[in-house]
Amino acid sequence: MKLSDKVTISAQVMARVVGDETVILDLASGTYYGLDMVGARMWQLMTEGQTLAQVCETMLAEYEVSSEDIERDVLALVQTLLEKQLVSADV
Amino acid sequence: MSVSLQTLGARPQAPLSQKPFHQWTFPNGTEWTLFYRLNSGYLLRFPDLADFEVSRDGRIAAVWPAPGVSPGTVEHLHLNQVLPLALSRQGRLVLHASAVEIDGKGVAFTGESGRGKSTLAASFATTGSRFLTDDGLQLDWLDGQCRITPSHPSVRLWEDSQDALIPQAVDLAPAVEYTTKARLLAGDAMVFCDQSQPLRRVYFLGEGVGQSLIIEAVQPAEALMQLVRNSFLLDIEEKELLAWHFDEMVRLAELPIYYRLDYPRCYEDLPHVRGAIIRHVLDEES
């Protein structure tokens, strides 16, 4: 994945905001996943159709972290979501 | 809503050509329940005990006991295993939880088997409170309020809990073949609440390895996962039902009523445990 890419949420995925977190259910496998507050915000931005670069830019404005850390964390989250087939790459 | 059960003649459990889509096993690997799909609904097979067929909508069930299995065993299986699953097909929310009524408030205890759900229910019901269920907790929303619907007026206990908690005046249901748990019937000595109560607390029971009693608030996302883990749901592969169930769990999890409860498991300490729970339930209402 490149920062200029976007992701598309898989059709069988349900995501709900619960408190400060987001809980995801993969209907295909019946598996549940949890995203903490930071991950939930990244997920929300990705699902709004932003490129990964735009997600990083928004996160940088909201959190006091370096751009290298944000890029690493966003790409790591995307990689996990791809492996679990919760999203697909929209290159 | 209820489940209409028809008991048919005893019949041997013929091998099935299809594989079960799901199964429950005991910790030692022995099969407990095998789940099969039928054109009309589901077959729940309890090996060497009984075959239950449940309609797709969960409203009708039929049972064929295995030869030599007692009616008491069939009733026990129906009440504790099949009924909660059938109700889930009706769109009912059913949890692996016991519940008691404390000062007009419904208080639920949930957790893995053996954590003490039934012991707590019996402990309260024999000391001035009333119990609503010992398992298969049914929840319904009414005018925006989540309420506990009472279940069967009985509590199942292992012998040690029975000896420690239950006065001799309590009646027993007939023994069953597959468990040494006794089913104790409600009465004056162990009081049942037959009216729905508002759900005010859900306690997730810990393992009891600590040295003291703790009660800690549980955040909504963790509560959601605990509720999912402790729900009855027949056919988790059916996406429409699974999606509905998820949204219902989210709605439940948003209530500010979830706590982790743990305490050393010692019968002599139960009055202290009950007192702490009662104070906790009543404190935030004042």
Side-chain angles (χ1 to χ4, degrees), chain B residues 123 127 266-279:
Chain B
S123 177
T127 56
C266 172
Y267 292 114
E268 288 75 23
D269 283 350
L270 277 173
H272 166 62
V273 175
R274 289 197 307 272
I277 292 169
I278 290 170
R279 284 191 299 277

Side-chain angles (χ1 to χ4, degrees), chain A residues 33-81:
Chain A
Y33 303 91
L35 293 174
D36 63 16
M37 198 159 50
V38 174
R41 181 59 175 143
M42 292 180 186
W43 170 273
Q44 180 190 21
L45 294 169
M46 288 179 205
T47 59
E48 287 174 357
Q50 297 193 16
T51 65
L52 299 184
Q54 289 168 327
V55 171
C56 290
E57 194 178 319
T58 305
M59 295 297 291
L60 269 176
E62 295 178 1
Y63 292 91
E64 288 185 12
V65 288
S66 69
S67 58
E68 290 83 7
D69 285 346
I70 278 292
E71 285 175 13
R72 181 198 61 226
D73 290 347
V74 167
L75 288 171
L77 176 60
V78 169
Q79 186 59 36
T80 300
L81 295 173

Side-chain angles (χ1 to χ4, degrees), chain A residues 14 16 18 21 23 25 27 30 32, chain B residues 220-221 224-225 228 243 246-247:
Chain A
M14 292 177 71
R16 297 291 184 266
V18 186
E21 301 178 50
V23 179
L25 167 59
L27 289 168
Y32 298 81
Chain B
L224 171 62
M225 297 315 302
V228 166
F246 185 44
D247 275 332

